[in-house]
Amino acid sequence: MGPQKESRPVSITATYTIPGMHVREHVVPVPLDWSDPGRGEIEVFFREITDPGRAHEDLPCLVYLQGGPGGKGPRPLAPDGWIGQALKTHRVVVMDQRGTGRSTRVDGRRMSAFATAEQGAHFLACFRADSIVADHEHVRRTVYGGRRWATIGQSYGGFLTLTYLSAAPEALRSCRVTGGLPGLDPSAAEVYRRTYPRVEAKNREFYRRYPQHVESAGRVADRLAAGDVRLPDGDALTVRRFQSLGIDLGMKPGYERMHYLLDEAFNGDELSATFLHQVLARTSYSDNPLFAALQESIYGHGPGATAWAAQAERPRHPAFAEDARPLLFTGEMIYPWMFEEIAELRPFRGAVELMAAREEWPPLYDPDRLAANEVPVAAAVYHDDMFVDAGLQLDTASRAGNVRCWITNEYEHDGISDPRVFDRLGEMIRDMGGEITGA
């Protein structure tokens, strides 16, 4: 839709042009707790991006639902990838999820301000998918006049998509999902039971490609086990923190990034400064602490505690032991020790312990409403996805109405970076009858 200058609230903070992209920045106040607005307000920040030559045209909106949890929106440098394709037909809306980026940020300093762990946990519970969807609905109604918009959800953005379809399907024209249809029923324990074998397979592939790193990764682990290795921020680097670098193995260039990291691990007999600085950058969570703090709570819906499911499952997979060789790296697993060993996460410790023990969560998905869904949903399901189990994704697709899946092993979890994925999903939506139009 067009700018609609007269009907917009006073929320525009900046307008500028990056070559090939016209950008408007907005800040909008929203309740911290949508179920209890009296608890105060926070702000959400979003960018609206258009082709500069079409900035005043009446274009439909496409909203990017960011991966995570705890992910801020992308900071595009050029009109390429999926954004370049989307700008041909849409006005693109990219929000920093509440608590991230330029939205009211939740970090260690913010968490340190709470007098008790209970207060911190009560606060963090306001940053789940239901609240993120409510923020988007508020923006749609107040900034964009309540017109339907389309979504594209990457990874956790697919979880948000299913929550959105459960809460407000009347808001949506169509939905693209890339690597992110959530299981509708599985507990966190079931999710991680399925995750460890997939992560082990990625490790085996890494060592198949780079057999020299069986020795080099083991050598790093042996040095860390001997103790007294400090990262540049003063944190001790342990074997288990080193293993957590494996989260990158689920991305297309992840094997190569790990290869080059290990390639320069040592300077003589000691770990190099280059290696230690890179490990800090990749494992500190300084840019996305909510990813760690909220990771398991995204699987909390209805009765039953998440109960540190990744930690509970790990002993059933002895190949991931710290002294096992070849050393296996872990994936998208968050462990309680992280909130002791990682400086940025320590202020979250008491709150996340209570979150893990919480016995009841509001449901995030409405199975009946999803079964009756009429909004066209096109989903890329990556057969070998390390992060989101393909079997669970297909089960969800079979239980939700008007969902079509493209199953492929051509991509890893970051397949959205290839514009062909965006185009293929668009073709699927067209073949399903096209987007829903009108109010």
PDB file of all heavy atoms in Angstrom, residues 332-356:
ATOM      1  N   GLU A 332      21.959 -26.730  18.028  1.00  0.00           N
ATOM      2  CA  GLU A 332      21.083 -25.714  18.618  1.00  0.00           C
ATOM      3  C   GLU A 332      20.581 -26.218  19.970  1.00  0.00           C
ATOM      4  O   GLU A 332      19.385 -26.389  20.185  1.00  0.00           O
ATOM      5  CB  GLU A 332      19.910 -25.420  17.675  1.00  0.00           C
ATOM      6  CG  GLU A 332      19.154 -24.164  18.033  1.00  0.00           C
ATOM      7  CD  GLU A 332      18.026 -23.876  17.048  1.00  0.00           C
ATOM      8  OE1 GLU A 332      17.383 -24.835  16.573  1.00  0.00           O
ATOM      9  OE2 GLU A 332      17.794 -22.701  16.755  1.00  0.00           O
ATOM     10  N   MET A 333      21.513 -26.448  20.858  1.00  0.00           N
ATOM     11  CA  MET A 333      21.182 -26.905  22.203  1.00  0.00           C
ATOM     12  C   MET A 333      21.626 -25.840  23.202  1.00  0.00           C
ATOM     13  O   MET A 333      22.751 -25.330  23.116  1.00  0.00           O
ATOM     14  CB  MET A 333      21.885 -28.219  22.549  1.00  0.00           C
ATOM     15  CG  MET A 333      21.411 -29.410  21.732  1.00  0.00           C
ATOM     16  SD  MET A 333      22.434 -29.621  20.266  1.00  0.00           S
ATOM     17  CE  MET A 333      22.092 -31.348  19.881  1.00  0.00           C
ATOM     18  N   ILE A 334      20.746 -25.511  24.119  1.00  0.00           N
ATOM     19  CA  ILE A 334      21.085 -24.575  25.187  1.00  0.00           C
ATOM     20  C   ILE A 334      21.115 -25.358  26.490  1.00  0.00           C
ATOM     21  O   ILE A 334      20.162 -26.073  26.824  1.00  0.00           O
ATOM     22  CB  ILE A 334      20.069 -23.419  25.261  1.00  0.00           C
ATOM     23  CG1 ILE A 334      20.089 -22.625  23.948  1.00  0.00           C
ATOM     24  CG2 ILE A 334      20.382 -22.508  26.440  1.00  0.00           C
ATOM     25  CD1 ILE A 334      21.414 -21.966  23.593  1.00  0.00           C
ATOM     26  N   TYR A 335      22.216 -25.205  27.228  1.00  0.00           N
ATOM     27  CA  TYR A 335      22.453 -25.970  28.449  1.00  0.00           C
ATOM     28  C   TYR A 335      22.515 -25.031  29.662  1.00  0.00           C
ATOM     29  O   TYR A 335      22.916 -23.865  29.537  1.00  0.00           O
ATOM     30  CB  TYR A 335      23.774 -26.726  28.339  1.00  0.00           C
ATOM     31  CG  TYR A 335      23.858 -27.669  27.177  1.00  0.00           C
ATOM     32  CD1 TYR A 335      24.638 -27.361  26.051  1.00  0.00           C
ATOM     33  CD2 TYR A 335      23.184 -28.885  27.173  1.00  0.00           C
ATOM     34  CE1 TYR A 335      24.730 -28.236  24.974  1.00  0.00           C
ATOM     35  CE2 TYR A 335      23.272 -29.765  26.100  1.00  0.00           C
ATOM     36  CZ  TYR A 335      24.049 -29.430  25.007  1.00  0.00           C
ATOM     37  OH  TYR A 335      24.142 -30.292  23.943  1.00  0.00           O
ATOM     38  N   PRO A 336      22.158 -25.530  30.832  1.00  0.00           N
ATOM     39  CA  PRO A 336      22.187 -24.660  32.014  1.00  0.00           C
ATOM     40  C   PRO A 336      23.572 -24.109  32.336  1.00  0.00           C
ATOM     41  O   PRO A 336      23.691 -22.989  32.862  1.00  0.00           O
ATOM     42  CB  PRO A 336      21.653 -25.561  33.143  1.00  0.00           C
ATOM     43  CG  PRO A 336      21.686 -26.948  32.613  1.00  0.00           C
ATOM     44  CD  PRO A 336      21.580 -26.852  31.135  1.00  0.00           C
ATOM     45  N   TRP A 337      24.642 -24.856  32.029  1.00  0.00           N
ATOM     46  CA  TRP A 337      25.981 -24.357  32.339  1.00  0.00           C
ATOM     47  C   TRP A 337      26.314 -23.072  31.581  1.00  0.00           C
ATOM     48  O   TRP A 337      27.173 -22.291  32.019  1.00  0.00           O
ATOM     49  CB  TRP A 337      27.046 -25.425  32.043  1.00  0.00           C
ATOM     50  CG  TRP A 337      27.103 -25.900  30.619  1.00  0.00           C
ATOM     51  CD1 TRP A 337      26.544 -27.031  30.113  1.00  0.00           C
ATOM     52  CD2 TRP A 337      27.753 -25.250  29.510  1.00  0.00           C
ATOM     53  NE1 TRP A 337      26.801 -27.134  28.764  1.00  0.00           N
ATOM     54  CE2 TRP A 337      27.549 -26.062  28.374  1.00  0.00           C
ATOM     55  CE3 TRP A 337      28.494 -24.076  29.381  1.00  0.00           C
ATOM     56  CZ2 TRP A 337      28.051 -25.719  27.126  1.00  0.00           C
ATOM     57  CZ3 TRP A 337      28.989 -23.733  28.129  1.00  0.00           C
ATOM     58  CH2 TRP A 337      28.771 -24.550  27.021  1.00  0.00           C
ATOM     59  N   MET A 338      25.646 -22.834  30.449  1.00  0.00           N
ATOM     60  CA  MET A 338      25.923 -21.622  29.684  1.00  0.00           C
ATOM     61  C   MET A 338      25.640 -20.365  30.494  1.00  0.00           C
ATOM     62  O   MET A 338      26.293 -19.326  30.315  1.00  0.00           O
ATOM     63  CB  MET A 338      25.102 -21.616  28.400  1.00  0.00           C
ATOM     64  CG  MET A 338      25.525 -22.660  27.386  1.00  0.00           C
ATOM     65  SD  MET A 338      24.442 -22.630  25.918  1.00  0.00           S
ATOM     66  CE  MET A 338      25.385 -23.647  24.783  1.00  0.00           C
ATOM     67  N   PHE A 339      24.666 -20.457  31.382  1.00  0.00           N
ATOM     68  CA  PHE A 339      24.283 -19.293  32.176  1.00  0.00           C
ATOM     69  C   PHE A 339      25.200 -19.120  33.393  1.00  0.00           C
ATOM     70  O   PHE A 339      25.005 -18.201  34.192  1.00  0.00           O
ATOM     71  CB  PHE A 339      22.815 -19.416  32.579  1.00  0.00           C
ATOM     72  CG  PHE A 339      21.909 -19.436  31.378  1.00  0.00           C
ATOM     73  CD1 PHE A 339      21.578 -20.634  30.746  1.00  0.00           C
ATOM     74  CD2 PHE A 339      21.434 -18.262  30.831  1.00  0.00           C
ATOM     75  CE1 PHE A 339      20.783 -20.660  29.619  1.00  0.00           C
ATOM     76  CE2 PHE A 339      20.633 -18.271  29.698  1.00  0.00           C
ATOM     77  CZ  PHE A 339      20.302 -19.472  29.087  1.00  0.00           C
ATOM     78  N   GLU A 340      26.183 -19.966  33.513  1.00  0.00           N
ATOM     79  CA  GLU A 340      27.244 -19.809  34.503  1.00  0.00           C
ATOM     80  C   GLU A 340      28.554 -19.389  33.842  1.00  0.00           C
ATOM     81  O   GLU A 340      29.291 -18.556  34.369  1.00  0.00           O
ATOM     82  CB  GLU A 340      27.465 -21.128  35.259  1.00  0.00           C
ATOM     83  CG  GLU A 340      26.233 -21.647  35.981  1.00  0.00           C
ATOM     84  CD  GLU A 340      26.438 -23.057  36.511  1.00  0.00           C
ATOM     85  OE1 GLU A 340      27.554 -23.614  36.320  1.00  0.00           O
ATOM     86  OE2 GLU A 340      25.495 -23.614  37.087  1.00  0.00           O
ATOM     87  N   GLU A 341      28.844 -19.952  32.665  1.00  0.00           N
ATOM     88  CA  GLU A 341      30.155 -19.769  32.042  1.00  0.00           C
ATOM     89  C   GLU A 341      30.232 -18.593  31.083  1.00  0.00           C
ATOM     90  O   GLU A 341      31.335 -18.137  30.764  1.00  0.00           O
ATOM     91  CB  GLU A 341      30.554 -21.042  31.287  1.00  0.00           C
ATOM     92  CG  GLU A 341      30.790 -22.235  32.193  1.00  0.00           C
ATOM     93  CD  GLU A 341      31.331 -23.447  31.435  1.00  0.00           C
ATOM     94  OE1 GLU A 341      31.705 -23.308  30.243  1.00  0.00           O
ATOM     95  OE2 GLU A 341      31.379 -24.535  32.032  1.00  0.00           O
ATOM     96  N   ILE A 342      29.107 -18.086  30.584  1.00  0.00           N
ATOM     97  CA  ILE A 342      29.106 -17.040  29.563  1.00  0.00           C
ATOM     98  C   ILE A 342      28.660 -15.723  30.192  1.00  0.00           C
ATOM     99  O   ILE A 342      27.556 -15.622  30.731  1.00  0.00           O
ATOM    100  CB  ILE A 342      28.196 -17.431  28.390  1.00  0.00           C
ATOM    101  CG1 ILE A 342      28.709 -18.733  27.750  1.00  0.00           C
ATOM    102  CG2 ILE A 342      28.129 -16.312  27.355  1.00  0.00           C
ATOM    103  CD1 ILE A 342      27.828 -19.288  26.654  1.00  0.00           C
ATOM    104  N   ALA A 343      29.532 -14.736  30.123  1.00  0.00           N
ATOM    105  CA  ALA A 343      29.320 -13.488  30.860  1.00  0.00           C
ATOM    106  C   ALA A 343      27.986 -12.828  30.531  1.00  0.00           C
ATOM    107  O   ALA A 343      27.256 -12.395  31.435  1.00  0.00           O
ATOM    108  CB  ALA A 343      30.471 -12.525  30.577  1.00  0.00           C
ATOM    109  N   GLU A 344      27.647 -12.728  29.257  1.00  0.00           N
ATOM    110  CA  GLU A 344      26.415 -12.041  28.864  1.00  0.00           C
ATOM    111  C   GLU A 344      25.174 -12.760  29.354  1.00  0.00           C
ATOM    112  O   GLU A 344      24.129 -12.140  29.567  1.00  0.00           O
ATOM    113  CB  GLU A 344      26.362 -11.891  27.341  1.00  0.00           C
ATOM    114  CG  GLU A 344      25.110 -11.205  26.809  1.00  0.00           C
ATOM    115  CD  GLU A 344      24.899  -9.799  27.352  1.00  0.00           C
ATOM    116  OE1 GLU A 344      25.891  -9.072  27.528  1.00  0.00           O
ATOM    117  OE2 GLU A 344      23.734  -9.422  27.592  1.00  0.00           O
ATOM    118  N   LEU A 345      25.271 -14.073  29.588  1.00  0.00           N
ATOM    119  CA  LEU A 345      24.099 -14.848  29.987  1.00  0.00           C
ATOM    120  C   LEU A 345      23.947 -14.986  31.500  1.00  0.00           C
ATOM    121  O   LEU A 345      22.874 -15.386  31.964  1.00  0.00           O
ATOM    122  CB  LEU A 345      24.162 -16.245  29.358  1.00  0.00           C
ATOM    123  CG  LEU A 345      24.161 -16.304  27.832  1.00  0.00           C
ATOM    124  CD1 LEU A 345      24.137 -17.754  27.368  1.00  0.00           C
ATOM    125  CD2 LEU A 345      22.988 -15.537  27.230  1.00  0.00           C
ATOM    126  N   ARG A 346      24.974 -14.681  32.265  1.00  0.00           N
ATOM    127  CA  ARG A 346      24.890 -14.903  33.721  1.00  0.00           C
ATOM    128  C   ARG A 346      23.721 -14.171  34.374  1.00  0.00           C
ATOM    129  O   ARG A 346      23.058 -14.735  35.250  1.00  0.00           O
ATOM    130  CB  ARG A 346      26.209 -14.501  34.388  1.00  0.00           C
ATOM    131  CG  ARG A 346      27.332 -15.490  34.137  1.00  0.00           C
ATOM    132  CD  ARG A 346      28.624 -15.133  34.864  1.00  0.00           C
ATOM    133  NE  ARG A 346      29.729 -15.845  34.244  1.00  0.00           N
ATOM    134  CZ  ARG A 346      30.795 -15.289  33.705  1.00  0.00           C
ATOM    135  NH1 ARG A 346      30.931 -13.960  33.735  1.00  0.00           N
ATOM    136  NH2 ARG A 346      31.747 -16.017  33.151  1.00  0.00           N
ATOM    137  N   PRO A 347      23.423 -12.923  33.991  1.00  0.00           N
ATOM    138  CA  PRO A 347      22.290 -12.253  34.636  1.00  0.00           C
ATOM    139  C   PRO A 347      20.936 -12.906  34.366  1.00  0.00           C
ATOM    140  O   PRO A 347      19.955 -12.618  35.048  1.00  0.00           O
ATOM    141  CB  PRO A 347      22.344 -10.836  34.041  1.00  0.00           C
ATOM    142  CG  PRO A 347      23.764 -10.648  33.619  1.00  0.00           C
ATOM    143  CD  PRO A 347      24.181 -11.997  33.129  1.00  0.00           C
ATOM    144  N   PHE A 348      20.857 -13.788  33.374  1.00  0.00           N
ATOM    145  CA  PHE A 348      19.606 -14.481  33.048  1.00  0.00           C
ATOM    146  C   PHE A 348      19.420 -15.755  33.878  1.00  0.00           C
ATOM    147  O   PHE A 348      18.343 -16.357  33.838  1.00  0.00           O
ATOM    148  CB  PHE A 348      19.592 -14.886  31.567  1.00  0.00           C
ATOM    149  CG  PHE A 348      19.459 -13.757  30.589  1.00  0.00           C
ATOM    150  CD1 PHE A 348      20.564 -13.011  30.202  1.00  0.00           C
ATOM    151  CD2 PHE A 348      18.228 -13.448  30.037  1.00  0.00           C
ATOM    152  CE1 PHE A 348      20.449 -11.984  29.281  1.00  0.00           C
ATOM    153  CE2 PHE A 348      18.095 -12.420  29.114  1.00  0.00           C
ATOM    154  CZ  PHE A 348      19.215 -11.684  28.735  1.00  0.00           C
ATOM    155  N   ARG A 349      20.434 -16.164  34.615  1.00  0.00           N
ATOM    156  CA  ARG A 349      20.469 -17.520  35.168  1.00  0.00           C
ATOM    157  C   ARG A 349      19.239 -17.857  36.013  1.00  0.00           C
ATOM    158  O   ARG A 349      18.568 -18.863  35.779  1.00  0.00           O
ATOM    159  CB  ARG A 349      21.744 -17.707  35.993  1.00  0.00           C
ATOM    160  CG  ARG A 349      21.854 -19.099  36.599  1.00  0.00           C
ATOM    161  CD  ARG A 349      23.113 -19.254  37.417  1.00  0.00           C
ATOM    162  NE  ARG A 349      23.167 -20.544  38.086  1.00  0.00           N
ATOM    163  CZ  ARG A 349      24.118 -20.912  38.924  1.00  0.00           C
ATOM    164  NH1 ARG A 349      25.119 -20.082  39.202  1.00  0.00           N
ATOM    165  NH2 ARG A 349      24.085 -22.105  39.490  1.00  0.00           N
ATOM    166  N   GLY A 350      18.945 -17.058  37.018  1.00  0.00           N
ATOM    167  CA  GLY A 350      17.828 -17.383  37.895  1.00  0.00           C
ATOM    168  C   GLY A 350      16.504 -17.415  37.156  1.00  0.00           C
ATOM    169  O   GLY A 350      15.664 -18.297  37.392  1.00  0.00           O
ATOM    170  N   ALA A 351      16.308 -16.479  36.238  1.00  0.00           N
ATOM    171  CA  ALA A 351      15.045 -16.414  35.501  1.00  0.00           C
ATOM    172  C   ALA A 351      14.871 -17.627  34.590  1.00  0.00           C
ATOM    173  O   ALA A 351      13.785 -18.208  34.526  1.00  0.00           O
ATOM    174  CB  ALA A 351      14.987 -15.122  34.685  1.00  0.00           C
ATOM    175  N   VAL A 352      15.937 -18.036  33.887  1.00  0.00           N
ATOM    176  CA  VAL A 352      15.776 -19.161  32.970  1.00  0.00           C
ATOM    177  C   VAL A 352      15.623 -20.483  33.724  1.00  0.00           C
ATOM    178  O   VAL A 352      14.967 -21.410  33.224  1.00  0.00           O
ATOM    179  CB  VAL A 352      16.939 -19.244  31.952  1.00  0.00           C
ATOM    180  CG1 VAL A 352      16.944 -18.020  31.049  1.00  0.00           C
ATOM    181  CG2 VAL A 352      18.279 -19.422  32.628  1.00  0.00           C
ATOM    182  N   GLU A 353      16.176 -20.572  34.914  1.00  0.00           N
ATOM    183  CA  GLU A 353      15.941 -21.775  35.729  1.00  0.00           C
ATOM    184  C   GLU A 353      14.455 -21.905  36.042  1.00  0.00           C
ATOM    185  O   GLU A 353      13.875 -23.004  35.957  1.00  0.00           O
ATOM    186  CB  GLU A 353      16.757 -21.712  37.022  1.00  0.00           C
ATOM    187  CG  GLU A 353      18.253 -21.899  36.852  1.00  0.00           C
ATOM    188  CD  GLU A 353      18.648 -23.349  36.610  1.00  0.00           C
ATOM    189  OE1 GLU A 353      17.754 -24.224  36.569  1.00  0.00           O
ATOM    190  OE2 GLU A 353      19.854 -23.606  36.453  1.00  0.00           O
ATOM    191  N   LEU A 354      13.826 -20.792  36.374  1.00  0.00           N
ATOM    192  CA  LEU A 354      12.392 -20.819  36.656  1.00  0.00           C
ATOM    193  C   LEU A 354      11.579 -21.075  35.382  1.00  0.00           C
ATOM    194  O   LEU A 354      10.550 -21.772  35.423  1.00  0.00           O
ATOM    195  CB  LEU A 354      11.962 -19.505  37.304  1.00  0.00           C
ATOM    196  CG  LEU A 354      12.491 -19.252  38.722  1.00  0.00           C
ATOM    197  CD1 LEU A 354      12.067 -17.877  39.212  1.00  0.00           C
ATOM    198  CD2 LEU A 354      11.996 -20.330  39.679  1.00  0.00           C
ATOM    199  N   MET A 355      12.036 -20.523  34.269  1.00  0.00           N
ATOM    200  CA  MET A 355      11.342 -20.784  32.999  1.00  0.00           C
ATOM    201  C   MET A 355      11.385 -22.273  32.666  1.00  0.00           C
ATOM    202  O   MET A 355      10.386 -22.858  32.222  1.00  0.00           O
ATOM    203  CB  MET A 355      12.008 -19.993  31.883  1.00  0.00           C
ATOM    204  CG  MET A 355      11.914 -18.480  32.026  1.00  0.00           C
ATOM    205  SD  MET A 355      10.440 -17.771  31.296  1.00  0.00           S
ATOM    206  CE  MET A 355      10.913 -17.766  29.564  1.00  0.00           C
ATOM    207  N   ALA A 356      12.530 -22.905  32.884  1.00  0.00           N
ATOM    208  CA  ALA A 356      12.660 -24.329  32.576  1.00  0.00           C
ATOM    209  C   ALA A 356      11.787 -25.191  33.474  1.00  0.00           C
ATOM    210  O   ALA A 356      11.389 -26.296  33.088  1.00  0.00           O
ATOM    211  CB  ALA A 356      14.120 -24.751  32.704  1.00  0.00           C
TER     212      ALA A 356
END
